[in-house]
Amino acid sequence: MNVSKAEIRFRKSLEIHSDDALNDRDLSQVDGFLHLIACQVQVRLKYIENMDAALCELAVRGKMKIRSTRTRKPLEIDFANQDALTYAFSETPDPDDDTILAVNGDTIDLHDPLVSLVVSSLPIKIVGEDEPENFSGDQWEVISEDEYRKRSRENEESPFCILSDFDPE
């Protein structure tokens, strides 16, 4: 999805809605990992005259099919994410300022930021509703960090462990 400076400058603000701006081919770097079922894109651009820049608000929402972290079964999940970027058409005021992105030419390419929004909306832990919360096996089990700390305190054999409950006040 490309937007020209002339189009933004002429309208002062521009709003774009699209249901087909992204598809599976756009996510080729995570091929086989996820499949976009539906993806709605909303873009708002506002031209800032005194900076020769455009403020860009991006939002994505939709549904994707992704494999479970534990069982590798495909699961459908909803996703949503948003971001705001500033694009400068002329030189950026401060070269060390990474919050303002320089535009090559007079066209803003929104493809990579939109793909980034979809990828960054992926959950870290992908578990289906029918999958067990905890796993265990022969002489092992998966426990939470809190449970680990609790068990560690119970099994401490340090000579200072009796001081753990000491309250100096």
Side-chain angles (χ1 to χ4, degrees):
M1 177 181 290
N2 295 326
V3 182
S4 70
K5 174 183 175 180
E7 190 175 4
I8 303 166
R9 191 173 185 184
F10 176 72
R11 296 185 182 188
K12 300 291 184 209
S13 71
L14 179 66
E15 192 161 329
I16 303 168
H17 297 273
S18 176
D19 291 336
D20 59 356
L22 292 176
N23 57 43
D24 285 339
R25 285 174 297 184
D26 297 317
L27 300 168
S28 60
Q29 69 265 29
V30 285
D31 188 34
F33 183 62
L34 73 93
H35 166 70
L36 281 179
I37 297 170
C39 183
Q40 299 169 347
V41 173
Q42 181 178 8
V43 179
R44 287 191 183 110
L45 292 147
K46 182 177 181 183
Y47 187 71
I48 305 167
E49 190 81 38
N50 61 344
M51 289 179 56
D52 193 29
L55 176 63
C56 179
E57 295 174 353
L58 304 167
V60 293
R61 109 173 5 154
K63 187 177 284 278
M64 68 175 79
K65 189 177 282 190
I66 191 164
R67 295 192 180 277
S68 164
T69 312
R70 293 185 178 160
T71 64
R72 306 298 295 157
K73 291 191 309 190
L75 302 170
E76 285 189 10
I77 62 167
D78 295 325
F79 69 92
N81 205 353
Q82 59 187 12
D83 197 7
L85 304 168
T86 304
Y87 290 96
F89 293 105
S90 58
E91 291 185 29
T92 56
D94 180 7
D96 295 329
D97 187 0
D98 60 351
T99 60
I100 300 176
L101 306 170
V103 177
N104 294 334
D106 282 346
T107 303
I108 299 173
D109 183 5
L110 296 173
H111 180 264
D112 288 345
L114 290 171
V115 169
S116 180
L117 274 179
V118 172
V119 172
S120 64
S121 69
L122 292 172
I124 294 172
K125 181 179 175 183
I126 306 159
V127 181
E129 293 175 5
D130 61 337
E131 295 179 27
E133 188 61 33
N134 292 318
F135 284 93
S136 63
D138 259 351
Q139 299 178 355
W140 68 271
E141 66 179 325
V142 177
I143 59 174
S144 69
E145 288 183 33
D146 292 335
E147 181 66 21
Y148 173 77
R149 285 189 202 106
K150 181 180 172 187
R151 290 182 188 180
S152 294
R153 275 190 241 118
E154 291 171 0
N155 295 332
E156 280 185 353
E157 294 181 18
S158 166
F160 301 107
C161 69
I162 57 173
L163 296 176
S164 64
D165 296 328
F166 178 70
D167 185 14
E169 293 178 13

